[in-house]
Amino acid sequence: MNRISPFSAALAAGAASAFAFEPFGWWPLMILALAVLCEAVSRAGSLKRSLIIGWLFGLGQFCIGLNWIATAFTFQAAMPAWLGWIAVVLLSLYLAIYPAMAAGLAWRFGEKRRLALALALAGGWAISEWLRATMFTGFSWNPIGVTLANTPLIGGSRLIGTYGLSALVALIGGSLWLASRRDWRAPAAVAVACLLLWAAPSPREVPPALAPGPRIPNAPPDEDPGGSVLMRRIRIVQPNIGQQDKWRPGFEDEAYRRLESLTMKGQPVQRLIFWPEAAVTDPLEDGRVGADRYIAEERLRATRTLGSEDLLLTGALSFTSRDGMKVDGATNSVYALEPLGRIVGRYDKAHLVPYGEYLPMRPVLSAIGLSRLAPGDLDFNAGPGPRTIQLPGEWGKVGFQLCYEIIFSGQVVDRRDRPDFIFNPSNDAWFGRWGPPQHLAQARLRAAEEGLPVIRSTPTGISALIDPHGAIVQSVPWRTAGTIDAPLPNPLGPTLFARLGNLIPLALGFLLLIVAIALDRRARYRAI
């Protein structure tokens, strides 16, 4: 790096690190990139220069890794497609502030000692990613810990969470940098920590929390503690409906035809059926006077292919009205429906997407011609947060996370009422080729963290059944119509992360910073 500017090296390393995420998944690139970042920060010479180096690293990573956001603008006729690339750059300019924080902390507390620099970078990274997930409604897409999803270390998330894994990735990168300087003690310690995380036992499977009701034979059977045989077969439906068609006038009948043909496919056994986000494009509830008959017909249409023992979980919309006449708002919801359209549960999305589901500063932005990316000018109302619903019969309890809500580590489960599995309907048809596999990787981290199966159903993919260890049991490829038929995995007992949440990675981050400060002060004292 002697002949290369630290600024150029940081920007190039950040851009290269984006390929450590899906759809490429070249995870060693992230470790190499962070080693380059450590070297660049060590040569910064001032706090200001170290902040710029970290910011350039983040700018390169986010501009490349978030390119899928530009694709979303191609589906909105009210805004030019080129505006999508401006949005990617503007968002990246902001998100890069958080790696800059970590780099600044690394230089401030590691100026005199390399080990302190590596520790401070790892601790600062965990804390800054948590801040990125919480500030200004949060956008925690692609924390660097998710690059470990395809390695045995994914299981470590049940102990230290995703942001703890991010600290570990930064530690490994720092250790590689130290090893290049012939300092072998820290790399050996990090290797031992990785082995301990990999070998840590996971909680045992537990029987689901079932509602009272009959038990129906099924093969292969699961048995509850009382010896009853449980019927827990599921079907995940992916109809391959692109965003260009979803809201097209007259396409509703074709959408129903695809959903219904995939739902009816196969043997008529009792199933829990999953449809994607907003699979039903007309509202299933409407607060306006006189809408009851129309709404009842829509529910009947959604459930007309269900068997007598089936249950459907589907994304849909609902309308609200203050005066019983005018629609004042809408919710992006998930409904649990029995045959004949009876609602047995509902969840309203709580973490709404700015510019996608509501338009911030609407009076100002509307005046200059901007609108939401999603069709329509009506903003969505936010729900109260994670919710668990007891399903009838042998299905147990389900928690919901709608679309990108699943990316927020530590915020996906009602901890007072732990579910048996999480349903994550999504519409990834917006997000080109890069977005869907990145989304799936983050859902795998939520499954491993919480010890809960995660079920994803999307219009165009990637739909998947994820076991409570974060492994993909089955999936339907991108832009393919298909179904997944499988037994629903049992949950694990509550993991350490499920009990304590992000207190663990935050405590780890501050501990690493404290050790770095102590080492730095010791080095300064010796220099006096």
Side-chain angles (χ1 to χ4, degrees), residues 298-320:
E298 193 63 29
R299 291 180 199 160
L300 282 171
R301 186 179 188 185
T303 59
R304 64 188 177 187
T305 59
L306 298 186
S308 61
E309 302 292 340
D310 288 346
L311 189 66
L312 172 66
L313 271 62
T314 181
L317 307 178
S318 71
F319 287 158
T320 58

Side-chain angles (χ1 to χ4, degrees), residues 325-364:
M325 300 296 293
K326 178 184 176 182
V327 173
D328 297 305
T331 62
N332 188 1
S333 304
V334 186
Y335 285 87
L337 299 172
E338 289 185 326
L340 302 180
R342 191 175 78 88
I343 296 173
V344 296
R346 168 182 161 182
Y347 167 79
D348 297 334
K349 186 176 183 181
H351 207 134
L352 300 177
V353 182
Y355 304 99
E357 291 167 313
Y358 69 96
L359 187 65
M361 302 181 294
R362 175 171 285 279
V364 175

Side-chain angles (χ1 to χ4, degrees), residues 273-289:
I273 298 164
F274 298 90
W275 286 3
E277 177 185 12
V280 179
T281 53
D282 284 325
L284 292 185
E285 288 186 288
D286 193 328
R288 292 174 294 179
V289 174

Side-chain angles (χ1 to χ4, degrees), residues 258-517:
R258 296 188 191 182
L259 288 163
E260 290 170 351
S261 64
L262 291 169
T263 300
M264 292 187 296
K265 178 182 174 183
Q267 297 296 320
V269 297
Q270 182 190 21
R271 299 162 302 177
L272 184 57
I273 298 164
F274 298 90
W275 286 3
E277 177 185 12
V280 179
T281 53
D282 284 325
L284 292 185
E285 288 186 288
D286 193 328
R288 292 174 294 179
V289 174
D292 292 351
R293 180 177 177 181
Y294 165 76
I295 294 299
E297 290 175 352
E298 193 63 29
R299 291 180 199 160
L300 282 171
R301 186 179 188 185
T303 59
R304 64 188 177 187
T305 59
L306 298 186
S308 61
E309 302 292 340
D310 288 346
L311 189 66
L312 172 66
L313 271 62
T314 181
L317 307 178
S318 71
F319 287 158
T320 58
S321 174
R322 297 176 186 174
D323 59 7
M325 300 296 293
K326 178 184 176 182
V327 173
D328 297 305
T331 62
N332 188 1
S333 304
V334 186
Y335 285 87
L337 299 172
E338 289 185 326
L340 302 180
R342 191 175 78 88
I343 296 173
V344 296
R346 168 182 161 182
Y347 167 79
D348 297 334
K349 186 176 183 181
H351 207 134
L352 300 177
V353 182
Y355 304 99
E357 291 167 313
Y358 69 96
L359 187 65
M361 302 181 294
R362 175 171 285 279
V364 175
L365 296 183
S366 294
I368 61 175
L370 296 182
S371 65
R372 294 192 296 113
L373 291 175
D377 293 324
L378 190 66
D379 286 340
F380 285 92
N381 300 323
R387 183 186 177 196
T388 299
I389 293 175
Q390 175 72 65
L391 298 176
E394 58 283 336
W395 302 118
K397 297 194 291 186
V398 57
F400 300 94
Q401 289 293 291
L402 238 170
C403 197
Y404 103 132
E405 288 184 310
I406 198 71
I407 73 173
F408 293 94
S409 174
Q411 302 178 41
V412 300
V413 167
D414 181 355
R415 303 199 182 282
R416 297 166 299 179
D417 189 11
R418 178 175 165 85
D420 300 312
F421 65 96
I422 297 171
F423 179 35
N424 173 223
S426 185
N427 182 6
D428 290 359
W430 294 88
F431 301 147
R433 182 178 292 275
W434 285 45
Q438 290 178 3
H439 206 175
L440 175 62
Q442 292 169 96
R444 292 177 61 191
L445 263 292
R446 299 297 86 74
E449 283 177 339
E450 302 290 346
L452 295 173
V454 171
I455 294 167
R456 282 179 51 77
S457 177
T458 74
T460 58
I462 305 168
S463 300
L465 172 61
I466 306 168
D467 75 13
H469 303 283
I472 297 175
V473 179
Q474 292 186 46
S475 64
V476 181
W478 183 58
R479 289 188 176 176
T480 302
T483 60
I484 295 172
D485 290 299
L488 177 61
N490 287 332
L492 303 181
T495 64
L496 182 64
F497 182 84
R499 297 179 187 276
L500 298 178
N502 282 318
L503 287 176
I504 297 174
L506 285 175
L508 175 61
F510 281 111
L511 177 62
L512 291 170
L513 283 178
I514 290 169
V515 174
I517 292 169

